[in-house]
Amino acid sequence: MHIPKADLRRKSELVRFRRALALLGMTLVLPGSAQVMCGSKTVGRAALRVLGLCAAVCVVGFLIIGRNGVIKLGLNTTALTLGEVAVTVLALCWLALFVDAWRLGRPPTLRRPHRLVSAGLSLTLMAGITVPMAYGAYLMDLQRNVIKDVFVQGGLGQLYNGRLNVLLLGGDGGLDRTGIRTDSISLASIDVATGKTVLFSLPRNLQYVQFPPGTTMAKHFPNGFPDFAFGIYTWATENKNLFPGVSDPGALAVEQAVAQTLGIPVHYYALVNLQGFQSVIDALGGITLRVGERLPIGGGHTMGGAPNPILGWIEPGLQHLDGYHALWYARSRATTTDYDRMARQRCVFGAILREANPATVLKNYSGLAHSAKKVLTTDLTTGALSRLVDVANLTKNTKVTSVQFTNQVIDPANPDINYIRQKVQEAITASEAQPVPTATPTASAKAKAKPTKAKTKVKPKPTKQPTVSAAPGDPESVDDSCQYS
């Protein structure tokens, strides 16, 4: 049977086209295999060996160090730098293999439509590989800068009976204010072996706070700080010349005040400026919590006594709040007391921890990283941060308890320090006595009501405040009191 030469040429060209596409596909799946088949076998075998070595290192390394170990590598600036260089080099090498695979497909011998398809597929595959790897290198660089700029390089110091105590401060700074006042003062006491955590909240209007003997603050205020506790940070910051060599005198002074009041040491602090808080929540995609009563956005009075307008309302019920509304939920006090605001701020912190699952954090990491550099000030060391990584998984299986020293528990104008310390020890003992759950409840076991958007105007319904069985001053579950579902 005679086959016309034109048909043979078309058939031969179609084979070459399929071969060109196959070479690109082989490079996508096994970089170097195209070169082994019809190019430089030395280059191809080297690429396959490197690929195999990288895969083996990743698999064996993960089996040895586990997920937490991988996260800890993300806290090591040296490891991040090496990872960034490695990803960049691998991306460039893979890109070079794609270009060579396209060359091996002999594009000049293909018909114009086939040449365009081959070139388009080659460019698409190259972009599909190099863009994600370049983004990965960018995230590593961003993470390295966050670790370097926000946290302190160093190990984990001596704990308090196996507990790591971190002071959590909410700074209420803004354009209409001079300096930063610590509107929210809480201490998280974390058992690093079990993850059991107790939150102790002190009121912002606590007076005559004492300081450890021999400290600068104790010398200047032997009878206690005469103003409200939220002014300690401002005073120490404005008199930083009294604290030579201290990078954040305000935080140090508040640490000392809290340690002396609660009777337990403060190892580290983390100060979040509430003015920039909304960017963190927006980066997480918002938070879900139950609003106990209708709260005004705005209202109250200026420092000069002039009334502020009410710009809107946060309605009661289960709400998904963006950063703007979450900030006002935490700050609103025109219709409620400072103690109500303390409770709401604690619920906001808890909601953020609930939303900050690995998938959400990774998805929004770029925004979170930039927000952290703007709103977070801390002396947490990389060693302490690494230890908290281990604790994070344990904490998800335990109930975080909270003790709020409201005016129902103490007299803020004349606090009984011995009574406060007694309550602290009782709460820690009660927390340690709780059994540790063996498994995390499944998602299906947690039936959640559908939240309403904060921006949607709905007719307010009578909503009861979250019921708490604990007596004032006794430990209570944060999940139970805040009702996140």
Side-chain angles (χ1 to χ4, degrees):
M1 179 179 176
H2 177 70
I3 301 176
K5 291 183 178 181
D7 291 342
L8 287 174
R9 285 196 297 268
R10 281 196 295 270
K11 185 176 181 180
S12 175
E13 196 275 342
L14 186 59
V15 170
R16 290 196 302 273
F17 174 61
R18 291 174 177 170
R19 175 176 172 274
L21 298 185
L23 292 173
L24 293 175
M26 292 170 63
T27 304
L28 174 67
V29 178
L30 283 175
S33 57
Q35 284 71 25
V36 170
M37 174 175 286
C38 56
S40 172
K41 289 182 170 50
T42 302
V43 172
R45 288 167 181 165
L48 290 173
R49 290 191 188 101
V50 170
L51 176 65
L53 180 62
C54 290
V57 168
C58 290
V59 172
V60 174
F62 184 80
L63 292 176
I64 293 175
I65 66 178
R67 185 172 69 92
N68 282 0
V70 174
I71 296 175
K72 290 178 181 180
L73 284 178
L75 304 177
N76 187 302
T77 55
T78 301
L80 288 168
T81 301
L82 293 175
E84 184 181 354
V85 172
V87 169
T88 303
V89 171
L90 286 175
L92 292 175
C93 292
W94 207 338
L95 183 62
L97 290 173
F98 265 116
V99 173
D100 189 53
W102 173 78
R103 180 189 63 82
L104 293 173
R106 300 169 64 189
T109 65
L110 303 178
R111 294 167 54 199
R112 187 171 184 274
H114 288 168
R115 284 201 308 272
L116 293 176
V117 171
S118 175
L121 179 61
S122 178
L123 291 174
T124 300
L125 293 178
M126 284 190 285
I129 291 297
T130 56
V131 170
M133 295 184 77
Y135 185 67
Y138 161 74
L139 290 181
M140 290 183 188
D141 182 68
L142 183 60
Q143 170 74 355
R144 180 169 55 84
N145 288 329
V146 169
I147 296 298
K148 182 178 64 175
D149 297 341
V150 176
F151 299 96
V152 178
Q153 299 296 317
L156 176 63
Q158 187 176 0
L159 302 178
Y160 168 72
N161 295 334
R163 305 188 73 87
L164 178 64
N165 300 328
V166 182
L167 179 62
L168 306 175
L169 302 175
D172 198 8
L175 298 177
D176 59 340
R177 292 170 174 247
T178 302
I180 294 179
R181 276 157 292 281
T182 50
D183 256 20
S184 175
I185 306 174
S186 300
L187 181 80
S189 183
I190 308 161
D191 188 319
V192 297
T194 64
K196 296 176 180 178
T197 303
V198 186
L199 285 173
F200 300 104
S201 298
L202 292 173
R204 65 194 292 273
N205 62 342
L206 193 66
Q207 297 183 58
Y208 300 105
V209 178
Q210 301 289 327
F211 301 93
T215 61
T216 299
M217 294 297 288
K219 293 176 182 178
H220 281 79
F221 303 104
N223 297 320
F225 193 72
D227 203 347
F228 293 142
F230 69 75
I232 295 175
Y233 188 96
T234 305
W235 188 94
T237 302
E238 292 175 348
N239 295 273
K240 59 183 179 181
N241 58 300
L242 301 176
F243 303 86
V246 178
S247 59
D248 193 341
L252 175 63
V254 180
E255 282 183 357
Q256 294 172 348
V258 171
Q260 188 69 7
T261 301
L262 300 181
I264 57 177
V266 176
H267 300 114
Y268 304 100
Y269 81 93
L271 170 65
V272 177
N273 189 347
L274 295 178
Q275 190 68 20
F277 203 46
Q278 67 184 72
S279 61
V280 175
I281 296 176
D282 284 334
L284 282 173
I287 58 174
T288 299
L289 47 75
R290 187 171 295 278
V291 180
E293 60 182 295
R294 200 176 190 223
L295 296 169
I297 298 174
H301 295 81
T302 64
M303 299 294 288
N308 288 318
I310 292 179
L311 307 175
W313 296 87
I314 299 174
E315 303 295 348
L318 190 65
Q319 300 276 11
H320 187 76
L321 305 177
D322 59 16
Y324 173 79
H325 290 86
L327 178 61
W328 273 108
Y329 172 81
R331 295 182 63 182
S332 181
R333 59 180 172 185
T335 59
T336 54
T337 67
D338 277 341
Y339 301 104
D340 295 326
R341 190 162 73 149
M342 281 172 56
R344 294 198 305 270
Q345 289 174 353
R346 179 197 57 182
C347 291
V348 168
F349 279 117
I352 290 175
L353 292 176
R354 292 171 65 90
E355 296 290 343
N357 58 74
T360 303
V361 170
L362 184 61
K363 178 183 176 182
N364 304 285
Y365 184 75
S366 180
L368 283 170
H370 285 104
S371 298
K373 294 173 71 172
K374 294 177 182 177
V375 306
L376 177 63
T377 305
T378 183
D379 65 348
L380 267 170
T381 63
T382 51
L385 199 60
S386 177
R387 191 68 184 91
L388 288 174
V389 169
D390 294 327
V391 177
N393 288 335
L394 299 172
T395 313
K396 291 185 180 298
N397 292 334
T398 60
K399 280 192 173 183
V400 177
T401 55
S402 171
V403 177
Q404 295 192 81
F405 292 104
T406 66
N407 57 346
Q408 294 180 302
V409 183
I410 60 172
D411 178 6
N414 186 27
D416 186 339
I417 300 301
N418 291 329
Y419 178 73
I420 292 175
R421 293 181 173 184
Q422 176 188 334
K423 284 294 183 182
V424 168
Q425 293 302 324
E426 288 176 357
I428 291 176
T429 301
S431 175
E432 294 297 339
Q434 291 180 359
V436 179
T438 56
T440 305
T442 60
S444 60
K446 301 177 181 179
K448 294 186 178 181
K450 185 177 180 180
T452 58
K453 292 286 184 179
K455 296 180 180 178
T456 305
K457 293 184 178 180
V458 296
K459 185 178 180 180
K461 299 179 181 180
T463 305
K464 295 182 180 180
Q465 290 281 10
T467 56
V468 180
S469 58
D474 288 347
E476 60 186 22
S477 168
V478 173
D479 284 358
D480 293 341
S481 59
C482 292
Q483 297 187 359
Y484 294 109
S485 59

